[in-house]
Structures are given as structure tokens and as C-alpha cells.
Amino acid sequence: MHRGLSVDLTGRTALVTGASSGIGAAVAEAYARSGARVYINYPDPSQTAPAEAVIAAIEAEGGEAMGVMADVSDEAQVDAMFATVESGSQSLDILVNNAGIAHSSPVESLAAMDFRRVMDVHALGTFLCSRAALRLMYGQGRGCIINTASQLAYIGAPGFAHYTAAKGAILSFTRSLALEVGERDVPVNAVAPGATMTPILADVPDDVLDGIKANIPAGKIADVADIVGAYLFLASDAARHFRGQCISPNGGDALL
Ligand code: NAD
């Protein structure tokens, strides 16, 4: 059995968007295990029960977690979420922009509203949450932001032009924001996971998953446990000289 990366986040407050399932839930649990108090963001009432299950799992291990509902693509809901964090914790040390959606469609039949929705959740959501977080982090003089891209932003994928465009936007946003932050103690970086077994892959047929797996040098599609180390590292003091970078746990699928 692997031992996970051990980092000390004692006394830190983290907000993980889209934390009621998949990578976000695993990152939130890992942060809580490392000593952080964690806000579990979820988009709507359909995710209340899964979010409560994540909170219960964290509390069962002696950690501290709170749920906060907001659609990250909605400016008013995002600002209300950060007001909740500010009044509840007075500080925010770590923002993980993780919320995401994906579906496959060839460009010639992709509806404009579906393109827009994918851009809104990923790119606009990352911007809105980052803007709100910066207002807190600049005020307190420290913090960090970790965005979630995808290796597909680098290598493309048929049927996912809208998704990869949104992830490419997140990568460019990460780089420019890291430069804009400058000398302030607020590193901004990204993680670009490779294929990872989460609900986002639920509709992918088994033969397609087998094809993906066959092309991964490590010989497996990642579990969330294979991904969280990147988020732990980037949230830790050890990553303080990383600025505008993207690290990609992907089993060697894409050599970035
Ligand atoms: P997931 O479906 O388990 O998690 C996505 C989460 O985002 C869900 O909990 C969902 O409720 C939440 N969400 C969706 N829309 C939202 C909104 N508008 N506001 C707030 N929350 C919202 O899938 P996952 O694989 O854990 O995905 C997490 C992130 O990792 C996504 O950004 C995804 O694009 C990215 N990613 C996943 C893979 C993979 O293969 N699983 C690979 C690369 C990148």
C-alpha cells in the first residue's frame, strides 16, 4: 500500500469547488487529513446528500468540514459563497478550482448553449472564484490558488473541443494570473489530471475506457488517490517557488 504525501496544513482554511464527488471530494478529504478546515462546495440541491457524505467522512476522521452551495458560474452565488467563508473563517488560505462538467459531441452538432455551459462552469467559474479569493488573499497577504485543467488541453481529444478549449483557457488564465500576482505571496498553479475514474467518466463505454487504458504507460486509469498528491503538494509550503505552473499526474499518457 502507498503512503500518501504528508503535508502540514494545520490552521489553514481551504475551499474546494465541486467537492461532493470525484477528485474534489478526495482533495477535500486529503486537505482535512492534513489539518485544514475545508469548505465543500457543491452546485445545487441534487448534490447536498453527496456533499454531506463527504463532510461526514471527514468528521469521522476528526477533521473539520462545512458545506457551501453555489454554482461556480453564477457571479452572485460565488460572491455569496465567499462571504460565507469570510464570515465563518475570517481567512482563506487555499482555493481549489475543481468544479467541472464534460460531455462528448462532435463540433458540427454541438449546440452553442452546450459550448457556453462548458466554458461557463470551467473558465468563467475559475475566474469568478479566483477573483473572490484574491480579494481575501491580497487582504491577508497570503494564500494559494490551484486550478484544474486536463492533459487534454495539451493533446486535444475528438468530441471534446469545447471541453479542451475551456481547459486551455484555464491554463492561460493560470499563467497570466500568476504573473499578475507578482511578488505577493499568492502562488497560482494548475493540475492537469490524466484520465481518472470518477463520475465524470460514468457515461464512457467500457471499450473506450479499455482503449484509453491501453495507451497509458502506467497501465491503468488513475484512481483519485493517484491525483491528490499534486493538489497536496501545490497547497503546501514546499511549492512556494512554483508560479503559473501545471503539473500532470497522468501515468505517462501525455508528456507535457
Ligand atoms: P466529478 O463529476 O466527480 O466532479 C465534478 C464536480 O463538479 C461534481 O461534484 C459536480 O457536482 C461539480 N460541479 C459541476 N458543475 C458545477 C458548478 N456549476 N458549480 C459547482 N460545482 C459543480 O468529476 P471529476 O473527474 O472529479 O472532475 C473534477 C475536475 O477534474 C473537473 O474539472 C474535470 O474536468 C477535471 N478532470 C477530470 C478528469 C477525469 O478523467 N476524471 C481528467 C482531467 C481533468
Side-chain angles (χ1 to χ4, degrees), residues 43-61:
D44 55 49
S46 74
Q47 289 295 305
T48 303
E52 284 173 351
V54 174
I55 292 167
I58 288 172
E59 289 176 344
E61 290 188 14

Side-chain angles (χ1 to χ4, degrees), residues 13-35:
T13 299
L15 166 61
V16 182
T17 68
S20 58
S21 65
I23 294 169
V27 169
E29 288 170 10
Y31 283 177
R33 224 171 274 135
S34 304

Side-chain angles (χ1 to χ4, degrees), residues 20-23 41 43 71-72 98-100 149 163 167 193-196 198-200:
S20 58
S21 65
I23 294 169
N41 160 257
D71 178 337
V72 296
N98 164 80
Y163 178 81
K167 292 303 195 185
T196 309
T198 71
I200 217 168

Side-chain angles (χ1 to χ4, degrees), residues 2 12 38 44 77 109 119 131 144 229 233 246 252:
H2 289 289
R12 312 261 170 107
V38 186
D44 55 49
Q77 291 184 39
S109 56
M119 293 301 287
R131 185 180 66 178
C144 74
F233 169 65
C246 181

Side-chain angles (χ1 to χ4, degrees), residues 47-86:
Q47 289 295 305
T48 303
E52 284 173 351
V54 174
I55 292 167
I58 288 172
E59 289 176 344
E61 290 188 14
E64 193 179 352
M66 290 74 54
V68 58
M69 185 170 77
D71 178 337
V72 296
S73 69
D74 184 300
E75 186 172 17
Q77 291 184 39
V78 167
D79 288 346
M81 172 167 71
F82 280 83
T84 299
V85 172
E86 188 175 15

